Amino acid sequence: MKEHAWKIKTAVCFLALIMAAAVGHAKSWISIGTQEITSFNAVREQCDADPDNGAYGRVAKNGIPLGNYFASNFLAPGTRITIPALTGENIWICRDRLNPKVWWRIDLLYPIGRTLGKRRTEVFVLNANNRD
């Protein structure tokens, strides 16, 4: 069953991005449903040998985040999301990937010493026309 779940989730996210692009309005947000949200710090214990660099660019300097970045395997690099229930109006940018065994998560980069735990809440994606 899990084998097919990722295909369905990927298809739903892809369709949401297509619908957002078709709308074409600046700053239009599309819900991708309830997602599992976790957090990580830019330290060797939680990352690879170079914790300051994500898969798609620099995310931290000496462990201090350079912006609101997140890791996700099912969202494209540069995708912008917002999670109003957890982080208010903050906009997060996809700059990293997760271990494939937790491909369904969205992992937010937090400052060293801060953690989020594991939460499930609604996530919104900015339309594809507003991506980096």
Side-chain angles (χ1 to χ4, degrees), residues 25-47:
H25 298 301
K27 298 283 183 183
S28 60
W29 296 94
I30 303 294
S31 173
I32 58 170
T34 301
Q35 305 295 327
E36 186 173 298
I37 312 294
T38 55
S39 64
F40 72 104
N41 307 120
V43 293
R44 288 187 196 274
E45 296 81 17
Q46 298 179 29
C47 301

PDB file of all heavy atoms in Angstrom, residues 25-47:
ATOM      1  N   HIS A  25      -2.249  33.986 -11.304  1.00  0.00           N
ATOM      2  CA  HIS A  25      -2.292  35.170 -10.458  1.00  0.00           C
ATOM      3  C   HIS A  25      -1.047  35.226  -9.589  1.00  0.00           C
ATOM      4  O   HIS A  25      -0.564  34.208  -9.114  1.00  0.00           O
ATOM      5  CB  HIS A  25      -3.520  35.152  -9.549  1.00  0.00           C
ATOM      6  CG  HIS A  25      -4.810  35.155 -10.290  1.00  0.00           C
ATOM      7  ND1 HIS A  25      -5.155  36.147 -11.166  1.00  0.00           N
ATOM      8  CD2 HIS A  25      -5.839  34.282 -10.299  1.00  0.00           C
ATOM      9  CE1 HIS A  25      -6.340  35.899 -11.668  1.00  0.00           C
ATOM     10  NE2 HIS A  25      -6.775  34.750 -11.161  1.00  0.00           N
ATOM     11  N   ALA A  26      -0.540  36.446  -9.370  1.00  0.00           N
ATOM     12  CA  ALA A  26       0.604  36.601  -8.486  1.00  0.00           C
ATOM     13  C   ALA A  26       0.202  36.204  -7.067  1.00  0.00           C
ATOM     14  O   ALA A  26      -0.893  36.519  -6.612  1.00  0.00           O
ATOM     15  CB  ALA A  26       1.093  38.035  -8.514  1.00  0.00           C
ATOM     16  N   LYS A  27       1.058  35.519  -6.397  1.00  0.00           N
ATOM     17  CA  LYS A  27       0.869  35.111  -5.014  1.00  0.00           C
ATOM     18  C   LYS A  27      -0.390  34.282  -4.790  1.00  0.00           C
ATOM     19  O   LYS A  27      -1.065  34.417  -3.791  1.00  0.00           O
ATOM     20  CB  LYS A  27       0.850  36.334  -4.096  1.00  0.00           C
ATOM     21  CG  LYS A  27       2.118  37.127  -4.091  1.00  0.00           C
ATOM     22  CD  LYS A  27       3.173  36.457  -3.278  1.00  0.00           C
ATOM     23  CE  LYS A  27       4.428  37.324  -3.237  1.00  0.00           C
ATOM     24  NZ  LYS A  27       5.493  36.729  -2.541  1.00  0.00           N
ATOM     25  N   SER A  28      -0.740  33.413  -5.732  1.00  0.00           N
ATOM     26  CA  SER A  28      -1.862  32.514  -5.483  1.00  0.00           C
ATOM     27  C   SER A  28      -1.328  31.241  -4.841  1.00  0.00           C
ATOM     28  O   SER A  28      -0.336  30.681  -5.266  1.00  0.00           O
ATOM     29  CB  SER A  28      -2.626  32.209  -6.771  1.00  0.00           C
ATOM     30  OG  SER A  28      -1.802  31.594  -7.713  1.00  0.00           O
ATOM     31  N   TRP A  29      -1.995  30.800  -3.793  1.00  0.00           N
ATOM     32  CA  TRP A  29      -1.579  29.643  -3.023  1.00  0.00           C
ATOM     33  C   TRP A  29      -2.548  28.499  -3.255  1.00  0.00           C
ATOM     34  O   TRP A  29      -3.750  28.691  -3.277  1.00  0.00           O
ATOM     35  CB  TRP A  29      -1.529  29.980  -1.537  1.00  0.00           C
ATOM     36  CG  TRP A  29      -0.498  31.014  -1.216  1.00  0.00           C
ATOM     37  CD1 TRP A  29      -0.697  32.352  -1.127  1.00  0.00           C
ATOM     38  CD2 TRP A  29       0.881  30.800  -0.952  1.00  0.00           C
ATOM     39  NE1 TRP A  29       0.483  32.978  -0.826  1.00  0.00           N
ATOM     40  CE2 TRP A  29       1.467  32.055  -0.705  1.00  0.00           C
ATOM     41  CE3 TRP A  29       1.686  29.662  -0.892  1.00  0.00           C
ATOM     42  CZ2 TRP A  29       2.815  32.206  -0.405  1.00  0.00           C
ATOM     43  CZ3 TRP A  29       3.031  29.812  -0.596  1.00  0.00           C
ATOM     44  CH2 TRP A  29       3.587  31.077  -0.355  1.00  0.00           C
ATOM     45  N   ILE A  30      -2.003  27.287  -3.388  1.00  0.00           N
ATOM     46  CA  ILE A  30      -2.795  26.081  -3.582  1.00  0.00           C
ATOM     47  C   ILE A  30      -2.484  25.112  -2.436  1.00  0.00           C
ATOM     48  O   ILE A  30      -1.314  24.823  -2.164  1.00  0.00           O
ATOM     49  CB  ILE A  30      -2.445  25.400  -4.929  1.00  0.00           C
ATOM     50  CG1 ILE A  30      -2.648  26.354  -6.101  1.00  0.00           C
ATOM     51  CG2 ILE A  30      -3.246  24.120  -5.110  1.00  0.00           C
ATOM     52  CD1 ILE A  30      -4.076  26.744  -6.343  1.00  0.00           C
ATOM     53  N   SER A  31      -3.506  24.603  -1.801  1.00  0.00           N
ATOM     54  CA  SER A  31      -3.306  23.634  -0.719  1.00  0.00           C
ATOM     55  C   SER A  31      -2.848  22.294  -1.309  1.00  0.00           C
ATOM     56  O   SER A  31      -3.398  21.831  -2.305  1.00  0.00           O
ATOM     57  CB  SER A  31      -4.605  23.418   0.056  1.00  0.00           C
ATOM     58  OG  SER A  31      -4.437  22.363   0.981  1.00  0.00           O
ATOM     59  N   ILE A  32      -1.838  21.706  -0.688  1.00  0.00           N
ATOM     60  CA  ILE A  32      -1.432  20.349  -1.073  1.00  0.00           C
ATOM     61  C   ILE A  32      -1.831  19.369   0.019  1.00  0.00           C
ATOM     62  O   ILE A  32      -1.320  18.260   0.100  1.00  0.00           O
ATOM     63  CB  ILE A  32       0.075  20.247  -1.414  1.00  0.00           C
ATOM     64  CG1 ILE A  32       0.958  20.699  -0.246  1.00  0.00           C
ATOM     65  CG2 ILE A  32       0.386  21.022  -2.673  1.00  0.00           C
ATOM     66  CD1 ILE A  32       2.432  20.394  -0.443  1.00  0.00           C
ATOM     67  N   GLY A  33      -2.749  19.818   0.884  1.00  0.00           N
ATOM     68  CA  GLY A  33      -3.294  18.943   1.917  1.00  0.00           C
ATOM     69  C   GLY A  33      -2.466  18.923   3.186  1.00  0.00           C
ATOM     70  O   GLY A  33      -1.538  19.705   3.369  1.00  0.00           O
ATOM     71  N   THR A  34      -2.821  18.011   4.053  1.00  0.00           N
ATOM     72  CA  THR A  34      -2.124  17.851   5.322  1.00  0.00           C
ATOM     73  C   THR A  34      -0.852  17.051   5.095  1.00  0.00           C
ATOM     74  O   THR A  34      -0.881  15.982   4.495  1.00  0.00           O
ATOM     75  CB  THR A  34      -3.038  17.128   6.339  1.00  0.00           C
ATOM     76  OG1 THR A  34      -4.217  17.920   6.505  1.00  0.00           O
ATOM     77  CG2 THR A  34      -2.353  16.949   7.671  1.00  0.00           C
ATOM     78  N   GLN A  35       0.258  17.599   5.570  1.00  0.00           N
ATOM     79  CA  GLN A  35       1.565  16.962   5.378  1.00  0.00           C
ATOM     80  C   GLN A  35       2.237  16.763   6.731  1.00  0.00           C
ATOM     81  O   GLN A  35       1.923  17.455   7.703  1.00  0.00           O
ATOM     82  CB  GLN A  35       2.469  17.843   4.504  1.00  0.00           C
ATOM     83  CG  GLN A  35       1.884  18.221   3.165  1.00  0.00           C
ATOM     84  CD  GLN A  35       1.683  17.037   2.256  1.00  0.00           C
ATOM     85  OE1 GLN A  35       2.444  16.074   2.289  1.00  0.00           O
ATOM     86  NE2 GLN A  35       0.642  17.089   1.442  1.00  0.00           N
ATOM     87  N   GLU A  36       3.186  15.829   6.774  1.00  0.00           N
ATOM     88  CA  GLU A  36       3.988  15.617   7.978  1.00  0.00           C
ATOM     89  C   GLU A  36       5.158  16.592   7.941  1.00  0.00           C
ATOM     90  O   GLU A  36       5.936  16.593   6.991  1.00  0.00           O
ATOM     91  CB  GLU A  36       4.497  14.180   8.031  1.00  0.00           C
ATOM     92  CG  GLU A  36       5.199  13.859   9.324  1.00  0.00           C
ATOM     93  CD  GLU A  36       5.554  12.386   9.430  1.00  0.00           C
ATOM     94  OE1 GLU A  36       4.621  11.558   9.429  1.00  0.00           O
ATOM     95  OE2 GLU A  36       6.755  12.079   9.511  1.00  0.00           O
ATOM     96  N   ILE A  37       5.262  17.426   8.974  1.00  0.00           N
ATOM     97  CA  ILE A  37       6.296  18.455   9.051  1.00  0.00           C
ATOM     98  C   ILE A  37       7.238  18.119  10.198  1.00  0.00           C
ATOM     99  O   ILE A  37       6.795  17.835  11.315  1.00  0.00           O
ATOM    100  CB  ILE A  37       5.685  19.852   9.319  1.00  0.00           C
ATOM    101  CG1 ILE A  37       4.513  20.142   8.389  1.00  0.00           C
ATOM    102  CG2 ILE A  37       6.743  20.937   9.249  1.00  0.00           C
ATOM    103  CD1 ILE A  37       4.856  20.268   6.945  1.00  0.00           C
ATOM    104  N   THR A  38       8.540  18.168   9.923  1.00  0.00           N
ATOM    105  CA  THR A  38       9.565  17.981  10.951  1.00  0.00           C
ATOM    106  C   THR A  38      10.578  19.113  10.789  1.00  0.00           C
ATOM    107  O   THR A  38      10.428  19.968   9.920  1.00  0.00           O
ATOM    108  CB  THR A  38      10.268  16.615  10.808  1.00  0.00           C
ATOM    109  OG1 THR A  38      10.793  16.491   9.479  1.00  0.00           O
ATOM    110  CG2 THR A  38       9.320  15.458  11.079  1.00  0.00           C
ATOM    111  N   SER A  39      11.615  19.113  11.618  1.00  0.00           N
ATOM    112  CA  SER A  39      12.650  20.146  11.499  1.00  0.00           C
ATOM    113  C   SER A  39      14.030  19.510  11.615  1.00  0.00           C
ATOM    114  O   SER A  39      14.177  18.393  12.109  1.00  0.00           O
ATOM    115  CB  SER A  39      12.472  21.209  12.581  1.00  0.00           C
ATOM    116  OG  SER A  39      12.657  20.651  13.860  1.00  0.00           O
ATOM    117  N   PHE A  40      15.018  20.244  11.124  1.00  0.00           N
ATOM    118  CA  PHE A  40      16.406  19.796  11.261  1.00  0.00           C
ATOM    119  C   PHE A  40      17.288  21.010  11.485  1.00  0.00           C
ATOM    120  O   PHE A  40      16.882  22.146  11.250  1.00  0.00           O
ATOM    121  CB  PHE A  40      16.863  18.986  10.040  1.00  0.00           C
ATOM    122  CG  PHE A  40      17.093  19.787   8.780  1.00  0.00           C
ATOM    123  CD1 PHE A  40      18.379  20.091   8.356  1.00  0.00           C
ATOM    124  CD2 PHE A  40      16.024  20.208   7.993  1.00  0.00           C
ATOM    125  CE1 PHE A  40      18.589  20.817   7.183  1.00  0.00           C
ATOM    126  CE2 PHE A  40      16.228  20.907   6.822  1.00  0.00           C
ATOM    127  CZ  PHE A  40      17.508  21.220   6.417  1.00  0.00           C
ATOM    128  N   ASN A  41      18.498  20.753  11.973  1.00  0.00           N
ATOM    129  CA  ASN A  41      19.501  21.789  12.180  1.00  0.00           C
ATOM    130  C   ASN A  41      20.670  21.507  11.247  1.00  0.00           C
ATOM    131  O   ASN A  41      20.936  20.356  10.911  1.00  0.00           O
ATOM    132  CB  ASN A  41      19.995  21.799  13.626  1.00  0.00           C
ATOM    133  CG  ASN A  41      18.875  21.895  14.639  1.00  0.00           C
ATOM    134  OD1 ASN A  41      18.718  21.024  15.470  1.00  0.00           O
ATOM    135  ND2 ASN A  41      18.080  22.944  14.566  1.00  0.00           N
ATOM    136  N   ALA A  42      21.382  22.553  10.844  1.00  0.00           N
ATOM    137  CA  ALA A  42      22.525  22.399   9.949  1.00  0.00           C
ATOM    138  C   ALA A  42      23.755  21.965  10.748  1.00  0.00           C
ATOM    139  O   ALA A  42      24.683  22.742  10.964  1.00  0.00           O
ATOM    140  CB  ALA A  42      22.785  23.691   9.183  1.00  0.00           C
ATOM    141  N   VAL A  43      23.753  20.711  11.192  1.00  0.00           N
ATOM    142  CA  VAL A  43      24.870  20.136  11.935  1.00  0.00           C
ATOM    143  C   VAL A  43      25.182  18.760  11.342  1.00  0.00           C
ATOM    144  O   VAL A  43      24.314  18.111  10.766  1.00  0.00           O
ATOM    145  CB  VAL A  43      24.553  20.004  13.449  1.00  0.00           C
ATOM    146  CG1 VAL A  43      24.411  21.383  14.093  1.00  0.00           C
ATOM    147  CG2 VAL A  43      23.306  19.190  13.690  1.00  0.00           C
ATOM    148  N   ARG A  44      26.419  18.309  11.485  1.00  0.00           N
ATOM    149  CA  ARG A  44      26.847  17.037  10.891  1.00  0.00           C
ATOM    150  C   ARG A  44      25.999  15.845  11.335  1.00  0.00           C
ATOM    151  O   ARG A  44      25.773  14.932  10.574  1.00  0.00           O
ATOM    152  CB  ARG A  44      28.312  16.763  11.213  1.00  0.00           C
ATOM    153  CG  ARG A  44      29.266  17.647  10.464  1.00  0.00           C
ATOM    154  CD  ARG A  44      30.708  17.208  10.709  1.00  0.00           C
ATOM    155  NE  ARG A  44      31.642  18.228  10.317  1.00  0.00           N
ATOM    156  CZ  ARG A  44      32.110  18.376   9.093  1.00  0.00           C
ATOM    157  NH1 ARG A  44      31.713  17.575   8.158  1.00  0.00           N
ATOM    158  NH2 ARG A  44      32.959  19.331   8.817  1.00  0.00           N
ATOM    159  N   GLU A  45      25.550  15.856  12.579  1.00  0.00           N
ATOM    160  CA  GLU A  45      24.767  14.729  13.090  1.00  0.00           C
ATOM    161  C   GLU A  45      23.438  14.564  12.355  1.00  0.00           C
ATOM    162  O   GLU A  45      22.878  13.479  12.322  1.00  0.00           O
ATOM    163  CB  GLU A  45      24.490  14.901  14.595  1.00  0.00           C
ATOM    164  CG  GLU A  45      25.727  14.880  15.463  1.00  0.00           C
ATOM    165  CD  GLU A  45      26.460  16.229  15.497  1.00  0.00           C
ATOM    166  OE1 GLU A  45      25.869  17.257  15.128  1.00  0.00           O
ATOM    167  OE2 GLU A  45      27.640  16.231  15.875  1.00  0.00           O
ATOM    168  N   GLN A  46      22.915  15.643  11.772  1.00  0.00           N
ATOM    169  CA  GLN A  46      21.622  15.588  11.101  1.00  0.00           C
ATOM    170  C   GLN A  46      21.724  15.745   9.588  1.00  0.00           C
ATOM    171  O   GLN A  46      20.725  15.646   8.883  1.00  0.00           O
ATOM    172  CB  GLN A  46      20.700  16.687  11.650  1.00  0.00           C
ATOM    173  CG  GLN A  46      20.413  16.528  13.117  1.00  0.00           C
ATOM    174  CD  GLN A  46      19.515  17.631  13.636  1.00  0.00           C
ATOM    175  OE1 GLN A  46      18.711  18.184  12.913  1.00  0.00           O
ATOM    176  NE2 GLN A  46      19.650  17.944  14.915  1.00  0.00           N
ATOM    177  N   CYS A  47      22.922  16.027   9.099  1.00  0.00           N
ATOM    178  CA  CYS A  47      23.130  16.253   7.656  1.00  0.00           C
ATOM    179  C   CYS A  47      24.291  15.400   7.177  1.00  0.00           C
ATOM    180  O   CYS A  47      24.768  14.533   7.881  1.00  0.00           O
ATOM    181  CB  CYS A  47      23.427  17.731   7.392  1.00  0.00           C
ATOM    182  SG  CYS A  47      22.117  18.849   7.926  1.00  0.00           S
TER     183      CYS A  47
END
